[in-house]
Amino acid sequence: MRVLTIETSCDETAMAVVEAKGGIRSPRFKVLKSEISSQIELHRPFGGVMPGLAKREHLKNLPPIEKTLDIDWEKVDLMAVIIGPGLEPALWTGIEYAKKLAKEHKKPLLGVNHLEAHLYSPLLSLKERDRNIPLPAIGLIVSGGHTILLALEKIDRWKKIGETRDDAVGEAFDKVARLVGLPYPGGPEIQKTAEKGNPNAIVFPKPMINQKNLDFSFSGLKTAIFYYLRDKKMTPKLRADVAASFQKTVIDILITKTLRAAWQYGAKSVVLAGGVAANKPLRDALKKKVKKDGLNFYVAGLQYSTDNAAMAAAAAYVDHLKGKRYRITAQANLNL
Ligand code: KG4
Ligand code: ZN
């Protein structure tokens, strides 16, 4: 079936058309079109996303994106829109637009959880030879607002086994970027700057790494960096060393807890998802460790790791197969 999706939960306006087939054990996807209009440049001067501005831009961007998709409505079987978590005014723009299109073209409409969309995003990039993801699996979702470890017994049945007790990983990247004078969003900036630095230059604390639980804490790391920088004059070398050392610390923490989870739950696979999954050193390092332990590793292509609408089609198709329904209303604090 063909799924048309809309995502407006934060600062990307996105629509996609995805072909989906297969049963719940091995759903298959082919992204036919995926358009994203990023508002990053507009929000950058504010150092973060302004909800009112995001809403205005989504309203402006949705009609031209719809036009670019050149939708063949005859072939669309299902529509889906992300209903949360996210910024409430931003979410509403996508929901209202989706409702209008669904009514006009008489298509069924599903509400999709943004976190489930991230979780299922690696399915969009499965290779032909991988018929499905061997289960049980550990899912690590790392985004601007969330850091979650899941034990997946089935593709659509999971248990939350760990999460951050304070800042999300993406948030830590963004805050540390600001501390060293890099613009928003901090993740890609830190990654780029870290390439010129020494990851072993500074030893930062790894909060909770030795605790047996599978939770995370990143605010102490950010505070440690604040104090480390307090009496120092910023230089390109210091900036690069802090970026590289911070990034390495975060990667070490994520790897340690994810592998511990995999061991505890007898996992056969590890699935990495969310905006921070676009971080190349994290992808590479986690993949290497996971493979070394004899497990399978899955991550979405870069374009489907950060916010996009194609990932919503993966979640919508799974929900459709399972008959799972969300109320189609903005749910800013929706969780897993
Ligand atoms: O999933 P996402 O696009 O939006 C949310 O659902 O939050 O994730 C955005 C987060 C931001 O904090 C951003 O700094 C981070 O993902 N991010 C990265 C990279 N690209 C995006 N973090 C580290 N390295 C990257 N290359
Ligand atoms: Zn996201």
Side-chain angles (χ1 to χ4, degrees), residues 64-135:
I65 293 184
E66 185 200 336
K67 214 165 175 189
T68 314
L69 282 192
D70 193 20
I71 303 159
D72 183 351
W73 283 103
E74 290 281 295
K75 293 194 176 150
V76 172
D77 302 294
L78 178 68
M79 280 187 62
V81 59
I82 285 182
I83 50 152
L87 304 169
E88 191 152 335
L91 288 163
W92 272 121
T93 59
I95 293 171
E96 294 296 350
Y97 202 80
K99 280 186 171 169
K100 185 188 78 161
L101 285 182
K103 197 169 167 205
E104 203 175 309
H105 298 279
K106 299 188 177 59
K107 301 292 174 187
L109 174 66
L110 287 185
V112 166
N113 181 330
H114 184 91
L115 296 171
E116 290 175 16
H118 274 304
L119 175 66
Y120 291 130
S121 61
L123 293 173
L124 299 172
S125 307
L126 268 192
K127 307 221 168 43
E128 252 325 296
R129 65 183 143 81
D130 292 322
R131 290 301 301 165
N132 47 32
I133 296 177
L135 298 166

Side-chain angles (χ1 to χ4, degrees), residues 84-273:
L87 304 169
E88 191 152 335
L91 288 163
W92 272 121
T93 59
I95 293 171
E96 294 296 350
Y97 202 80
K99 280 186 171 169
K100 185 188 78 161
L101 285 182
K103 197 169 167 205
E104 203 175 309
H105 298 279
K106 299 188 177 59
K107 301 292 174 187
L109 174 66
L110 287 185
V112 166
N113 181 330
H114 184 91
L115 296 171
E116 290 175 16
H118 274 304
L119 175 66
Y120 291 130
S121 61
L123 293 173
L124 299 172
S125 307
L126 268 192
K127 307 221 168 43
E128 252 325 296
R129 65 183 143 81
D130 292 322
R131 290 301 301 165
N132 47 32
I133 296 177
L135 298 166
I138 294 298
L140 173 64
I141 303 177
V142 278
S143 71
H146 297 84
T147 305
I148 300 173
L149 270 173
L150 297 174
L152 290 116
E153 189 190 315
K154 293 199 172 148
I155 211 156
D156 61 324
R157 195 183 308 156
W158 61 72
K159 191 166 91 183
K160 196 190 278 181
I161 54 173
E163 65 188 322
T164 184
R165 299 211 178 155
D166 40 59
D167 293 352
V169 192
E171 192 180 353
F173 268 93
D174 295 338
K175 286 179 175 170
V176 171
R178 201 175 311 158
L179 287 178
V180 297
L182 290 169
Y184 175 86
E189 297 286 335
I190 292 270
Q191 181 183 326
K192 199 166 70 192
T193 308
E195 283 166 17
K196 293 169 254 158
N198 173 4
N200 301 311
I202 313 153
V203 178
F204 290 127
K206 294 178 182 162
M208 297 182 70
I209 198 160
N210 292 321
Q211 292 183 16
K212 277 212 175 67
N213 63 62
L214 297 168
D215 286 341
F216 303 92
S217 163
F218 293 103
S219 78
L221 174 56
K222 171 200 67 194
T223 310
I225 294 176
F226 172 79
Y227 283 111
Y228 179 82
L229 289 172
R230 207 167 40 165
D231 339 297
K232 298 189 175 62
K233 188 177 170 303
M234 188 52 70
T235 63
K237 181 174 178 338
L238 178 61
R239 181 178 292 120
D241 283 346
V242 170
S245 303
F246 160 74
Q247 184 174 261
K248 179 177 183 289
T249 306
V250 168
I251 292 173
D252 284 351
I253 296 168
L254 292 174
I255 288 179
T256 302
K257 293 268 170 163
T258 305
L259 289 182
R260 189 175 297 158
W263 180 78
Q264 277 182 18
Y265 286 84
K268 293 184 182 150
S269 311
V270 167
V271 177
L272 171 67

Side-chain angles (χ1 to χ4, degrees), residues 11-84:
D11 58 348
E12 323 279 355
T13 320
M15 288 182 79
V17 182
V18 176
E19 191 68 43
K21 61 178 185 185
I24 193 71
R25 290 202 182 165
S26 59
R28 322 286 301 166
F29 300 96
K30 187 172 173 204
V31 181
L32 303 177
K33 287 171 191 165
S34 176
E35 290 289 327
I36 302 175
S37 171
S38 172
Q39 307 171 9
I40 283 176
E41 293 305 328
L42 281 171
H43 295 282
R44 188 166 278 154
F46 303 99
V49 181
M50 300 284 108
L53 181 59
K55 174 183 166 174
R56 195 189 76 194
E57 289 301 305
H58 287 315
L59 287 171
K60 198 167 90 191
N61 294 335
L62 281 164
I65 293 184
E66 185 200 336
K67 214 165 175 189
T68 314
L69 282 192
D70 193 20
I71 303 159
D72 183 351
W73 283 103
E74 290 281 295
K75 293 194 176 150
V76 172
D77 302 294
L78 178 68
M79 280 187 62
V81 59
I82 285 182
I83 50 152

